[in-house]
């Protein structure tokens, strides 16, 4: 089985497991999603979703964030961890989007990664979920599971992103990544993967199944 064949089979099996592939983070517009993803660094999505309602209720527009008191944002997002650097980058990215991008969240990775606090993982999420373009979000779940499945043989996020873009259909990437996260939480965990009840067991290189 080639890597592309294994990827296509994984996509098929994950679709059966998770028909609705949705982002775990709650947001009402592109900038809110950008903020939520920034807050999710070193923090669970569940915790972020507990924090963002108050933040989004108080700060409704891009200008609200541009003119925000950083300390106030820090107080609201405190429980997400690294709150000082996150608050700083949220205010800074709002100003850069307003001043350099006409108030519109960029639709391409090259411009998105220019924003403070935004890396390729975040940029890919925005490009895929907001703009429907080709994307591969490489988080800890994707790093772990793509290696276990034998789709890649590296822990380098950027190398994984480009390797998967070669074998995952461009119209499937965003949903595939969301499903991988759900699968990683439910079954293929880091410490105690549930191999005995895994729907992807047949194509997993880690299990030693005949390829």
């Amino acid at each position: 089985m080639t890597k592309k064949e294994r990827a296509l089979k994984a996509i098929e099996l994950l679709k059966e497991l998770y028909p609705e592939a949705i982002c775990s983070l709650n947001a009402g517009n592109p900038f809110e999603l950008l903020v939520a993803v920034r807050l999710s660094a070193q923090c669970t999505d569940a915790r972020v979703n507990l924090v963002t309602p108050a933040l989004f209720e108080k700060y409704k527009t891009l200008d609200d964030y541009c003119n925000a008191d950083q300390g106030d944002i820090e107080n609201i997002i405190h429980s997400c961890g690294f709150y000082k650097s996150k608050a700083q980058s949220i205010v800074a990215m709002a100003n850069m989007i307003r001043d350099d991008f006409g108030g519109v969240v960029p639709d391409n990775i090259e411009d998105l990664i220019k924003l403070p606090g935004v890396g390729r993982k975040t940029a890919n999420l925005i490009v895929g979920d907001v703009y429907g373009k080709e994307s591969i979000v490489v988080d800890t779940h994707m790093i772990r599971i793509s290696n276990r499945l034998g789709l890649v043989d590296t822990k380098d996020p950027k190398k994984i992103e480009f390797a998967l873009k070669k074998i995952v259909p461009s119209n499937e990437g965003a949903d595939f990544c969301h499903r991988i996260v759900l699968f990683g939480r439910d079954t293929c965990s880091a410490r105690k993967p549930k191999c005995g009840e895994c729907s992807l067991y047949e194509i997993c290189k880690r299990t030693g199944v005949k390829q």
Side-chain angles (χ1 to χ4, degrees), residues 156-172:
D156 183 284
K158 189 173 182 179
K159 290 181 179 178
I160 292 174
E161 175 192 333
F162 284 99
L164 291 179
K165 282 182 176 178
K166 293 180 180 179
I167 59 176
V168 173
S170 59
N171 64 326
E172 296 281 3

Side-chain angles (χ1 to χ4, degrees), residues 8-25:
L8 293 175
K9 186 62 176 178
I11 290 169
E12 176 189 335
L13 294 171
L14 287 171
K15 280 184 177 181
E16 294 176 5
L17 278 177
Y18 308 104
E20 294 186 13
I22 57 176
C23 180
S24 300
L25 294 167

Side-chain angles (χ1 to χ4, degrees), residues 22-26 36-37 39-52 80 121 125 139 141 178 181-182 185:
I22 57 176
C23 180
S24 300
L25 294 167
N26 299 328
V37 178
L39 293 178
S40 70
Q42 304 298 314
C43 180
T44 66
D45 290 354
R47 166 55 58 185
V48 173
N49 287 336
L50 291 175
V51 168
T52 50
C80 289
K121 181 182 77 170
L125 180 64
D139 63 358
H141 294 290
H178 288 317
V181 170
L182 297 172
R185 290 172 179 166

